[in-house]
Amino acid sequence: MVQLINQTITVVTDDGRNMTGKLVVFDKHMNVVMCDVKETRMISKKSGELAQRTLGLILLRGEHVVSLSCAEKRPKVLAGTTGSGIATKKTVLKRDREAE
């Protein structure tokens, strides 16, 4: 989830609202701080009517988070380059050396 910091994400809450904004920080309880947040909620299930409002900076308590997803495409990182938490070296474990 560290790779999602400063990325646009969508969080679905337990009451059905969608919060879309940039992830600032999170913790082990899945509490998330987001900025530039837009909230979308369904007004009527019959008509499918949606309401949207801008919230700005929010702290969303982890107990209300149902799902979290990346809302934007991330650029591909080539193997062997640094960035986005991708390993740059192959780690050889002791048991792998013994097998060779």
Side-chain angles (χ1 to χ4, degrees), residues 31-98:
N31 297 320
V32 292
V33 175
M34 298 167 60
C35 64
D36 304 327
V37 176
K38 290 187 178 173
E39 174 196 60
T40 306
R41 63 185 175 88
M42 188 172 292
I43 295 175
S44 170
K45 288 186 179 182
K46 249 183 184 178
S47 67
E49 188 178 350
L50 298 174
Q52 189 175 35
R53 65 180 177 165
T54 302
L55 299 176
L57 182 68
I58 66 165
L59 166 63
L60 186 57
R61 195 167 159 91
E63 67 184 72
H64 299 293
V65 174
V66 173
S67 71
L68 186 143
S69 61
C70 189
E72 63 184 33
K73 290 186 177 181
R74 295 179 46 85
K76 281 189 174 182
V77 177
L78 299 175
T81 62
T82 59
S84 301
I86 295 175
T88 57
K89 294 181 182 177
K90 180 181 177 185
T91 303
V92 179
L93 300 174
K94 184 177 179 183
R95 69 170 189 252
D96 293 338
R97 278 187 251 146
E98 292 171 356

Side-chain angles (χ1 to χ4, degrees), residues 3-10 20-22 69-75:
Q3 299 93 337
L4 294 178
I5 291 182
N6 291 324
Q7 300 293 320
T8 302
I9 63 167
T10 299
T20 302
K22 190 177 286 193
S69 61
C70 189
E72 63 184 33
K73 290 186 177 181
R74 295 179 46 85

Side-chain angles (χ1 to χ4, degrees), residues 12-28:
V12 178
T13 60
D14 55 356
D15 62 355
R17 292 181 288 168
N18 289 338
M19 309 283 189
T20 302
K22 190 177 286 193
L23 178 64
V24 177
V25 69
F26 66 95
D27 67 6
K28 66 181 180 179

